[in-house]
Structures are given as C-alpha cells and as structure tokens.
C-alpha cells in the first residue's frame, strides 16, 4: 500500500458556504521516498524513522546550562558490534537533536577529556554498577559533562544508548543514575511473512524479508527495522510465517537468512525461523515426518547444523503444529512434547531455543454439541505434558483462549503448566481490531492480561510474573509479539498504529509500566512535545480501545466480525453454526457461551480454584466478561441496572459517537503536525468515524432482528435524517441485497444495471433550510474503481473514486458487505428546502457504483 498525500477537488456551488475535506480522498497524489538515517524533522515526513526521528529540540526546551561531554567513547572497533552501533547512534542523534557534533572514538587512549562512555561491564575500567545487571541490562549514569552507559552485554550497552537519546529527544536533561534490567529474557517479535512477499494478516504492504520466494538483495529496510526494535529492547525476531513454507530451508534460502541475520546483528536482534513440521517429507523426500523416526531426527539435525554454520547466533525455532491444518506429531500418535523436543535437541548444542505455539485446536468442532468449546483445547492438549518439555522449549501462549479478540480473559494455560517455560503471544498487527484502518491503542488491553492474578496455588500469580519465569522458578520465558511490518513507509500502514509496537517493546522490558505514560513518551518522540499535540494524541488513543470494543462487541462476546472471511467488518451471524468455535450461542431468547462447570463446557474450571469460583457465578463474573462465561437472556439485568440488550444498543451508539470525536480532535492540530502526517491521520480517522457507524447499525439491527426487543430510546432502525437511495428516483440503478443484510441501511442497496454504464439517483430535499453535513454511504470493493459525483441543484459539490483499496491497508472485499461499506461526507452545505440532490455513478470493473443511503445531518448531529 502506498502512503497517500491528500489532494481533494472541491467545487463550490451556489448553496455552499464553506467546504472541508470529506471522509475519503477524492483525488490523490502519491509521494515516495525514504528519509536519510537518522533524519531531523522536516516539512514532509513519511514515518520511516518511527519514534527515532531525532527532531531538533526547540531552544525553549533546552536547559540554559546544558553541557555535553566533549566526545563519545564506544569501546568496540567491530562494526557488527552493538557497542559500535551505539556510538554511531549517539553521534548522529545528538547532532540531529542538539546540532552538536561530538567526535567518536573506539579506543580509550584516543581521547582523555570528558566522554559519553559506552561499554560492557567487562570494559568499564573501574566503573561498576551498584547492583548486578541481568543479561541485556544496563547502567545509565548522567552527570554534567560526563555520561556512562554500561551494558551487561553489548546489546545492553546499545539499549542504554537508546535510553539516553530518548531522554534528550524528550527534553529530559536531569541527572540520572539508574539500572535497567529486562523483566524477561525473551522479547521477540514474530512476522507472518510468506516467501512470495505477501504477509498473512499484514496491512502495510509487502514483506521486507521475502520477494518471489527468495530473500531480496536490498535489505536496507531490514536494518532499519532492527534499529527500531533495538530501541525498545527487542532481542529476537522470527522472520517468516508460522504457516511455514518448507522451501525456506533450501541452501540458497539459508544463505539469504544469513544475510538477514547480518543486517540485524549490529542492533543485537537475533533471527529465528518458523518451521513446517512436515519438511522432512515435503522438502527432504523422506516417507515420514514422525518426530521419533531416526531418519527424521537426522534430517532435522543436519538442517539445523547448516543453519547455525551460516548463522552462529541464530535465536532458534518457532513451531506451529497440529493446528488449522498444519502437520504435527499427533499425525503419528506422538505427543506435542515429542514434537517440540525433536527441535529442542537439534538446537541445544548451539544454544538455541524452541518456541512451541499452544495455538492447537480442532477447527471442525460440532456446533450442535453444547459441551464443545475451542477455548478448552489449549489446556486439554498441554496440561498433561507439563514437565515433559526440554528446558530450552518455551510454550508460546496467546493472551486469551480464542484468538486476539477485543476482550478475552487471560488464558488459563499460564497456570496449568508450572514446570514448563512459557511466553505470552500478543498481536501488534490489528487482525481483529480494525486492521490499522481503525485507531486502536492496544496496550491497555494487554495490561489487563499481564496484571491478571491467576491465583495458582492460592498465591499471587500475575500473568507477567508467570511468563517472566518468577512465579514458578522457570529459567526461560517472556514475550512474542506478532507485528507484520511491511514496505509502507509507516511500517504498519498507519502512523498512529506505531504506538502499539513501541508500547509492546516497552512492556516486554517492564510490564509494570503505565500504558498512558508509554503513549506520552511515544507521542513526544513521534510528534514533538507541544502540549496540545500531546493532549490530543493521548486523549484519542486512550479512548480508542474502549470505543472500538463498544461499537464492535462488548460484555465479553468477542469482536463480532466476519470470522469466515476478512476478520474486518461486522458479521455477527458468522460466529455461530460452524466448526471454528468462536461461538456466541445467540438465539431469539439469549446470548453468550455457558462455560461453567455446572451446566456448560467446563472452561471456567480450568482456572485455579479462586478464579474458577469467580467466573462460575454470574453474580461474581465482571460484566465485561459476562457473555464469555455465561449464556443469559437478553433481558438479564447487568450490574449497571441495564438489560443486556439495552447495554448492547447503548454501547454501540456510545462507541460510534466517540469515534466521531477523533477527527474533530485531530483537526485542532493543523499546523502543529507536518502536512503529510496530519493529512494521512485525518483521512484515516474520518474513515474510522464513518465505518464505526456501519458497525453500530449492523450489530444493533442484527440483535434487534434476532431478539425482537426494541431499543428503549428508539434509535435502532429509526434514522430521521436518512434518505434511502432505493426510495430516490433511479436511472440505470437497480435494487440489490447485501450479505449480511444488516450491513445496508433498510437491508437494501442499489447498483448499476451493468458494468459498462452510468446511472443517477435523484431526490428533492424536504429538510428545513439551513447548513447541513451531507453523508453518502456507499460500498467500495476490490476489482474496480467506480466514479461518483454529487450535485446540488445541478452544481457539482464533490467527485470521488471508489479506490480505498489503494489508500487503506485492511483486507478488502469483493462483495457488498460490512467490509466494503463506507461513507464520504461533505461538510457545512447550505440547503434550502426543496433543493434537488443528485448522485451519479459510473461503473468500473465489478464495482457497479453501489450506493446505500444519504444522511442530511444538522451540524453537530451524529447520524
């Protein structure tokens, strides 16, 4: 996806007083290019430097007596050493932020004056930390004219240098004497990149690691990515999809992986790879992939030795087995531990580890079986294997029992395998959370999981203490974050989405930190320290997860998206009556999964006793997880004194209303944020505001149709400011259904009669004279770029093209549905009663200029 620069054609009409940008681009021009490394702030920024912009610090943010040391002393002459890299980073960063050039030396006898010393503890020449540093930990001591940065490892020294630069970039010049140790040894990211260059659940362009089934020669973006990761304490990366391609293990690709490792090594980021369990058969030509077969063991040992010969510091392997059609040891009646240990034995002589995913489940469950529950599967598969995994195996557990939903309880597996190393799997890419086309700051969600007390053995058992290894005295553990950056210059497809990657790294280092404080640090580094900018970004970001939860699915019902298709737009019916097990059990009378021991699937009993008791009872289950654990009538009264169905209606309206405030708040930053990033963020927030209404209406209408219970306030199904296009005078347009029905207002849309024609929809406006915002809801599909125009009394108001697939990164649809439904808004239009509004559409490909409705909104009114 190409990062757009807004360029909109707006044409005044007799009845128009003032115009502002619509929710979507109408025309655009594209800008490409990478900023030099590192780059100062400039008039145009494209996001390539993320939070490492090193923007010049305004004079009023510099202390008057600022005194830097006279030189930088980074004690390594090895250009692949993170200590050497730290020296370069400090020199370039200080030059960019403070416009001061400090000489850089790598040998102690080259400079005898005051220095910024960067070294490991073994090189410190008498400077010792007051307490022991953990692996990757560092000492940062800042005094006027003298700075000491010591790492327990070379990587730790680089982390300390990034910390020091972050403080300078934020205008924090106070003395410091701190020791920073990581909370857990494993702080990895996962990329779900395919060898053809595509990325599963990636929303920011093609892979930076693979192209045309090989590793490209130009790995500049890989080095830049490593730099970003190192700056937030990430020490490992798995570069390919968990649904792995065995061809990654050919000799040519092993050499390519070596080049990736070479590009990331100066930043201390070790690479690992995902394996296809059946590789000995599909690639090696063996008749089996049985993990206990000696020929299979020999094959994997040989491949592993070849990999470590090319990449001596390879971190290890990630394995997805016996899940969603992937091969695994269960094929041969072996255990999952047998499978994991096969790889653990192969990497053990090289110091490698095996991350073995707990995401093992049957995706052909019988929905008619009321005792069946996908949420049970992880504990059922792994609990009996506790203690059977080798000590260099880490079981990688998704934070919740299903699949990265907008809210889930913490996985009970964390409490059920105390003799096994564990890591928590989080998702930075927003697969179920708006796919970076919606702003959702996810760190507060992660914090609810990390701080959850499982009460194992009736003792404090916070999830963060379990994965760090502290609670059960395990040697290894930590964090795996699914990121899926791409070639888009914003890395994740959205400038604001980068706050999630930043927060992930910071929380993996220290999970006790406050998500809002992390967000504020990221904002200062990314957009500067202007109080208004800091306030707006913090306000909308902290409101974004609660708002998204409200308009997509609340009370623990999961994200009510289309789980059978794109995982993006609304489709609550898709949750049930299939084998995937993300069921809501919604019917005419009630909703929710009964996961109790007494009457349901027994899932609540997988938790330790105190937690199980809490979730077993409706009275003690928090409302925000009620429907996860209990099936209740729609009329069930919550602790707020509202019924479940009324809460659904109210929450969805409240969430969409909050989303309408995001672009308004952002517009207050015009001239405070560079033009390119300002326009890009504004475009996305306006899109989100429109799509949140699609979500709201779809979910509310679905449950109204299902339950027959009206909204107590009369909002659902009643839209006094809308004109359904099917009621307008139509030329060359015909009525059509949509699927699901509720994703169109009044359950109906219109399309052109053929793919080589144009058409019109005309209506006389019967609203009182005044100024209005005119919203036009339509559908934007893959496979064509229909052209639209809006006229008032024959004067052109706006023209636009259905080309969102070129401007947004989420997974698009070929159909009229909740993924393709969107809107464009023309603001502050002066209308006289009786004016004639006409929309014209010209088909392109399979996009037949579909329209849904027009909303003529008094200013300040949310449709």
């Amino acid at each position: 996806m190409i990062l757009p620069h807004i360029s909109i054609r707006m044409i005044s009409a007799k009845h128009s007083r003032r115009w502002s940008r619509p929710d979507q681009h109408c025309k655009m021009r594209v800008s490409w290019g990478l900023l030099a490394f590192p780059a100062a702030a400039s008039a145009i920024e494209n996001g390539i430097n993320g939070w490492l912009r090193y923007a010049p610090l305004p004079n009023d943010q510099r202390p008057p007596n600022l005194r830097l040391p006279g030189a930088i002393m980074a004690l390594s002459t090895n250009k692949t050493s993170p200590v050497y890299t730290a020296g370069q980073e400090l020199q370039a960063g200080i030059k960019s932020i403070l416009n001061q050039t400090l000489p850089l030396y790598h040998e102690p006898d080259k400079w005898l004056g005051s220095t910024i010393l960067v070294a490991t503890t073994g090189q410190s020449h008498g400077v010792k930390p007051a307490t022991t540093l953990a692996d990757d930990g560092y000492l940062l001591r800042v005094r006027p004219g003298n700075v000491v940065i010591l790492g327990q490892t070379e990587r730790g020294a680089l982390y300390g240098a990034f910390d020091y630069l972050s403080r300078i970039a934020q205008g924090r010049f106070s003395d410091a004497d701190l020791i920073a140790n990581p909370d857990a040894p494993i702080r990895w990211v996962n990329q779900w990149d395919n060898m053809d260059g595509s990325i599963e659940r990636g929303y920011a362009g093609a892979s930076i690691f693979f192209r045309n089934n090989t590793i490209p020669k130009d790995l500049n973006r890989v080095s830049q990515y490593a730099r970003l990761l190192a700056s937030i304490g990430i020490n490992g990366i798995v570069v390919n999809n968990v649904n792995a391609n065995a061809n990654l293990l050919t000799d040519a690709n092993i050499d390519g992986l070596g080049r990736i490792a070479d590009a990331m090594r100066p930043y201390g980021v070790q690479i690992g790879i995902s394996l296809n369990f059946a590789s000995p058969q599909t690639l090696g030509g063996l008749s089996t992939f049985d993990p206990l077969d000696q020929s299979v063991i020999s094959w994997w040992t040989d491949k592993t030795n070849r990999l470590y010969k090319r990449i001596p510091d390879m971190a290890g392997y990630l394995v997805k087995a016996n899940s969603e059609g992937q091969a695994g040891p269960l094929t041969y009646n072996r255990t999952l531990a047998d499978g994991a240990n096969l790889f653990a034995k192969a990497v053990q002589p090289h110091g490698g580890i095996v991350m073995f995913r707990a995401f093992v489940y049957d995706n052909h469950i019988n929905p008619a079986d009321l005792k069946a529950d996908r949420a049970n599967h992880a504990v059922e598969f792994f609990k009996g294997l506790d203690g059977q995994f080798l000590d260099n195996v880490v079981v990688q557990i998704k934070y919740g029992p299903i699949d990265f939903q907008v809210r889930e309880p913490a996985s009970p597996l964390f409490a059920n395998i105390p003799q096994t190393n564990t890591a928590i799997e989080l998702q930075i890419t927003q697969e179920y959370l708006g796919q970076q086309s919606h702003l959702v700051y996810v760190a507060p969600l992660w914090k609810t999981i990390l701080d959850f007390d499982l009460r194992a053995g009736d003792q404090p058992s916070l999830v963060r203490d379990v994965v760090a290894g502290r609670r059960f005295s395990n040697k290894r553990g930590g964090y795996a974050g699914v990121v899926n950056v791409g070639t888009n210059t914003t890395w994740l497809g959205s400038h604001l989405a980068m706050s999630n990657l930043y927060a992930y790294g910071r929380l993996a280092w220290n999970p006790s930190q406050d998500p809002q404080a992390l967000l504020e640090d990221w904002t200062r580094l990314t957009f500067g320290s202007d109080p208004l900018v800091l306030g707006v970004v913090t306000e909308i970001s902290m409101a974004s997860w609660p708002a998204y939860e409200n308009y997509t699915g609340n009370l623990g019902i999961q994200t009510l998206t289309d789980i059978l298709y794109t995982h993006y737009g609304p489709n609550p019916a898709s949750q049930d009556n299939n084998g995937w097990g993300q069921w809501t059990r919604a019917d005419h009378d009630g909703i929710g999964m009964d996961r109790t021991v007494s009457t349901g699937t027994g899932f609540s009993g997988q938790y330790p006793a105190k937690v199980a008791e809490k979730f077993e009872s409706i009275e003690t289950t928090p409302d925000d997880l009620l429907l996860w654990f209990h099936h209740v009538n729609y009329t069930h009264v919550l602790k707020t004194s509202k019924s479940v169905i009324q809460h659904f209606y109210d929450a969805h309206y409240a969430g969409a209303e909050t989303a309408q405030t995001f672009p308004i708040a952002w517009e207050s930053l015009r001239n405070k944020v560079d033009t390119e990033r300002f326009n890009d963020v504004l475009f996305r927030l306006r899109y989100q505001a429109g799509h949140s209404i699609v979500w709201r209406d779809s979910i509310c209408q679905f449950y109204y149709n299902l339950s027959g219970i009206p909204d107590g306030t009369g909002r659902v199904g009643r839209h006094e400011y809308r004109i359904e296009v099917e009621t307008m005078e139509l030329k060359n347009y015909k009525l059509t259904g949509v699927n699901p029905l509720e994703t169109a207002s009044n359950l109906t849309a219109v399309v052109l009669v053929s793919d080589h024609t144009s058409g019109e929809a005309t209506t006389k406006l019967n609203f009182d004279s005044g100024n209005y915002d005119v919203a036009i809801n339509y559908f934007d599909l893959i496979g064509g770029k229909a052209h639209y125009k809006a006229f008032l009394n024959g004067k052109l108001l706006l023209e636009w093209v259905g080309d969102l697939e070129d401007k947004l990164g989420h997974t698009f649809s070929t159909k009229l549905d909740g993924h393709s439904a969107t809107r464009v808004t023309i603001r502050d239009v002066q209308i006289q009663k009786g004016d004639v509004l006409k929309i014209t559409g010209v088909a392109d490909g399979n996009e037949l200029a579909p329209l849904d409705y027009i909303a003529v909104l008094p200013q300040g009114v949310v449709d």
Side-chain angles (χ1 to χ4, degrees):
M1 188 187 76
I2 300 168
L3 183 66
H5 181 89
I6 294 178
S7 177
I8 295 174
R9 180 181 178 191
M10 301 292 292
I11 301 176
S12 298
K14 179 174 67 176
H15 298 296
S16 170
R17 185 183 66 185
R18 177 178 60 84
W19 301 100
S20 61
R21 291 179 177 88
D23 290 346
Q24 322 300 352
H25 296 309
C26 302
K27 290 187 176 179
M28 65 159 36
R29 57 184 175 85
V30 175
S31 61
W32 285 86
L34 303 183
L35 297 178
F37 157 69
S42 62
I44 295 178
E45 296 198 43
N46 60 10
I48 194 68
N49 289 310
W51 52 84
L52 297 178
R53 297 166 55 242
Y54 296 153
L57 197 67
N59 289 331
D60 61 0
Q61 294 180 31
R62 305 185 189 194
N65 58 345
L66 174 63
R67 186 173 131 242
L68 289 173
I72 300 164
M73 182 68 66
L75 295 182
S76 177
T77 58
N78 180 357
K79 293 183 179 181
T80 67
S81 163
V83 171
Y84 187 95
T85 302
Q88 290 186 309
E89 195 75 27
L90 286 164
Q91 186 182 50
I94 290 170
K95 169 62 176 174
S96 184
I97 300 167
L98 300 175
N99 196 29
Q100 295 188 38
T101 301
L102 301 185
L104 171 60
Y105 301 98
H106 297 287
E107 298 175 43
D109 58 351
K110 298 294 185 182
W111 177 261
L112 300 178
S114 62
T115 63
I116 301 175
L117 173 66
V118 188
T120 63
T121 53
Q123 303 171 308
S124 58
H125 302 285
V127 180
K128 296 293 182 183
T131 60
T132 303
L133 292 176
D135 280 352
D136 291 348
Y138 60 87
L139 162 74
L140 175 61
R141 183 173 296 160
V142 180
R143 298 288 186 270
N146 190 51
V147 177
V148 176
I149 302 170
L150 295 182
Q152 179 65 20
T153 60
E154 292 191 344
R155 185 161 51 202
L158 177 59
Y159 296 159
F162 275 120
D163 187 352
Y164 178 56
L165 284 170
S166 175
R167 292 164 183 267
I168 294 175
Q170 296 181 67
R172 293 157 55 192
F173 291 93
S174 59
D175 291 356
D177 199 344
L178 65 90
I179 287 176
N181 285 319
D183 196 64
I186 296 171
R187 304 177 307 282
W188 289 15
V189 296
N190 294 174
Q191 287 283 136
W192 288 355
D193 293 37
N194 299 312
M195 293 194 63
D196 64 2
S198 64
I199 305 175
E200 183 173 343
R201 311 304 178 191
Y203 312 109
S207 172
I208 64 173
F209 296 99
F210 303 103
R211 189 178 307 132
N212 299 324
N213 297 306
T214 189
I215 291 89
K217 292 182 179 179
D218 182 0
L219 295 176
N220 181 54
R221 285 294 296 268
V222 171
S223 295
Q224 291 174 311
Y225 187 28
R227 175 176 174 248
L228 286 168
L229 295 177
S231 75
I232 51 174
I234 299 300
N235 59 4
I237 179 172
V238 175
V239 298
N240 63 307
N241 195 351
V242 290
N243 298 313
N245 185 334
N247 288 323
L248 184 65
L249 298 177
T250 65
D251 289 345
N253 284 327
I254 287 174
D255 182 68
L257 290 170
R259 290 190 293 107
I260 291 174
D262 295 343
M264 304 191 94
R265 188 173 292 112
Y267 295 94
V269 180
Q270 295 173 259
I271 79 159
I273 60 172
S274 294
L275 299 179
N276 185 308
F277 203 93
S279 296
Q281 185 180 77
T282 59
L283 179 65
L286 301 184
S287 62
T288 180
F289 53 87
D290 181 349
L292 300 188
D293 184 277
Q294 188 56 51
S295 66
V296 172
I297 295 170
S298 297
W299 192 90
W300 279 116
T301 300
D302 177 65
K303 279 294 179 187
T304 300
N305 290 341
R306 291 190 194 187
L307 279 159
Y308 276 96
K309 183 178 180 179
R310 178 61 181 87
I311 314 169
D313 57 353
M314 188 176 78
Y317 292 145
L318 172 62
V319 181
K320 175 181 178 180
N322 290 116
S323 179
E324 299 181 325
Q326 291 292 307
L330 302 183
T331 305
Y332 296 94
N333 294 316
R334 310 304 189 190
T335 69
L336 295 171
D338 291 333
N341 291 340
L342 164 69
F343 304 111
K345 291 174 183 176
V347 301
Q348 191 276 332
H350 307 282
I353 65 174
V354 173
M355 306 290 283
F356 198 85
R357 291 183 94 217
F359 190 58
V360 179
Y361 74 98
D362 179 3
N363 61 329
H364 301 287
I365 319 168
N366 180 8
D369 181 359
L370 297 181
K371 297 295 184 181
D373 192 353
R374 170 176 160 181
N376 288 343
H377 290 190
V379 170
E380 290 173 348
F381 276 114
F382 283 88
K383 182 174 183 178
L385 301 176
D386 190 33
Q388 298 181 32
F389 294 94
L390 295 179
D391 66 2
N392 63 328
V393 173
V394 179
V395 175
Q396 182 170 311
I397 306 169
K398 288 190 177 185
Y399 65 79
I402 295 292
D403 195 10
F404 302 128
Q405 299 298 293
V406 70
R407 188 182 294 271
E408 297 183 59
S411 172
L413 186 58
F414 291 114
N416 276 278
I417 48 174
Q419 298 178 69
T420 302
N421 301 313
T422 59
I424 187 169
E425 182 175 326
L426 304 173
Q427 196 176 48
I428 291 90
T429 191
Q430 296 166 219
E431 177 183 354
Y432 288 93
L433 304 179
Q435 299 182 2
Q436 281 97 281
S437 291
H438 288 234
L439 166 63
V440 183
Y441 179 52
V442 193
L445 163 60
W446 299 335
K447 191 74 166 128
T448 67
I449 301 293
L450 294 171
D451 288 350
F452 187 78
D453 190 351
L454 292 159
R455 301 299 302 175
D458 202 22
Q459 298 295 316
S461 305
L462 302 184
V463 169
R464 54 186 161 103
D465 292 333
V466 173
V467 300
R470 280 188 299 274
R471 175 62 183 87
F472 299 124
S473 301
N474 291 315
K475 181 180 179 182
R476 294 179 173 86
Y479 296 78
V482 183
V483 184
N484 298 352
V485 301
T487 53
N488 185 281
T489 60
T490 66
W491 296 98
L492 287 172
S494 159
H495 294 287
L496 296 185
M498 286 291 278
S499 62
N500 288 319
L501 178 55
Y502 180 85
Y504 167 73
R506 294 285 303 275
L507 285 172
W509 183 275
N510 178 5
S512 66
Q513 295 179 97
D514 174 33
Q516 180 168 327
L518 299 179
L519 174 67
E520 290 171 352
D521 283 352
W522 173 83
T523 302
R524 283 187 287 263
L525 294 169
T526 303
F527 292 109
S529 298
D530 185 284
L532 181 60
V533 175
L534 182 63
V536 166
V537 175
T538 301
E539 177 185 4
I540 64 176
S541 297
M542 291 302 295
S544 62
W545 171 50
Y548 192 84
E549 181 180 24
N550 273 343
Y551 65 73
T552 63
N554 41 74
L555 299 179
I557 199 58
Q558 307 174 76
T559 312
L560 293 170
T561 189
D562 193 332
I563 67 162
L564 303 177
Y565 191 25
T566 68
H567 295 187
Y568 180 65
N571 189 357
S574 72
Q575 308 277 321
D576 291 296
N577 302 313
N578 59 65
W580 289 95
Q582 293 183 218
W583 305 323
T584 69
R585 299 292 191 196
D587 56 28
H588 295 295
D589 300 312
I591 187 172
M593 280 285 289
D594 183 353
R595 289 188 161 106
T596 64
V597 173
S598 57
T599 59
T601 70
F603 171 78
S604 65
Q606 292 187 344
Y607 289 95
K610 285 288 180 67
V611 177
E613 180 182 4
K614 174 183 177 180
F615 289 143
E616 181 75 9
S617 169
I618 288 179
E619 285 70 29
T620 54
T621 300
D623 280 349
D624 59 18
L625 287 172
L626 176 70
L627 302 183
W628 177 274
F629 286 100
H630 302 280
H631 183 88
V632 299
N633 290 333
Y634 291 111
T635 55
H636 173 81
V637 178
L638 302 170
K639 296 174 178 64
T640 60
S641 299
K642 288 184 181 180
S643 68
V644 165
I645 190 64
Q646 192 59 49
H647 175 91
F648 253 55
Y649 296 149
D650 291 349
H652 281 81
Y653 270 82
E657 187 169 354
T658 298
Q660 308 312 302
T661 69
F662 294 168
I664 296 171
W666 183 259
E667 283 188 276
S668 70
L669 303 185
R670 193 181 299 275
N671 300 322
K672 289 184 175 291
V673 174
D674 57 278
T675 301
E676 183 159 346
R677 292 190 297 168
F678 175 83
N679 286 340
D680 185 68
V681 172
L682 181 59
F683 162 57
R684 291 171 182 277
L685 294 177
R686 284 176 169 170
Y687 168 83
Q688 178 177 4
H691 200 236
S692 71
I693 291 175
V694 173
W695 265 99
R696 180 201 72 190
D697 291 351
S698 299
I699 302 302
C700 289
Q701 191 65 51
F702 176 83
Y703 287 106
Y704 170 67
N705 293 344
L706 190 62
S707 70
I709 300 174
D711 171 21
T713 65
R715 297 162 298 186
V716 175
R718 178 175 172 268
H719 304 288
E720 60 182 305
Y721 300 110
R722 287 189 187 177
I723 303 168
E724 302 295 339
V725 174
E726 62 269 22
T727 68
M728 297 169 65
E729 181 182 341
L730 302 178
K731 178 182 178 182
N732 289 337
Y733 267 102
K734 64 180 179 179
L735 276 61
T736 187
V738 297
N739 186 18
L741 287 173
E742 62 276 359
T743 52
S745 184
N746 201 35
L747 315 181
T748 306
V750 302
V751 295
L752 291 171
V753 295
S754 74
D755 61 2
H756 56 273
T757 190
S758 61
E760 300 175 358
T762 306
T763 188
K764 182 178 290 188
L765 300 177
N766 195 32
F767 298 93
D768 291 338
S769 299
N771 286 9
Y772 294 85
D773 294 336
V774 178
I776 303 164
N777 270 55
Y778 66 106
F779 297 86
D780 197 332
L781 318 178
I782 296 175
K785 294 178 173 63
H787 191 93
Y788 299 88
K789 294 181 181 179
F791 298 87
L792 189 66
N793 296 331
K795 299 293 185 179
L796 181 64
L797 297 178
L798 178 69
E799 59 179 304
W800 75 98
V801 176
D803 59 354
L804 287 179
E805 63 269 33
D806 295 338
K807 303 167 186 177
L808 295 170
H810 67 259
T811 305
F812 276 79
S813 173
T814 60
K815 301 176 287 189
L816 304 186
D817 54 25
H819 320 299
S820 59
T822 186
R823 70 163 41 186
V824 61
T825 300
I826 312 165
R827 302 184 185 280
D828 199 12
V829 181
Q830 190 178 57
I831 291 174
Q832 300 292 326
K833 192 170 186 177
D835 282 351
V836 175
L837 181 67
K838 180 173 70 175
I839 311 297
T840 66
V842 179
D844 180 69
N846 70 351
E847 192 166 85
L848 305 182
L851 295 167
D852 186 3
Y853 66 86
I854 296 166
V856 182
L857 303 169
Q859 293 182 323
V861 171
V862 177
D863 179 19

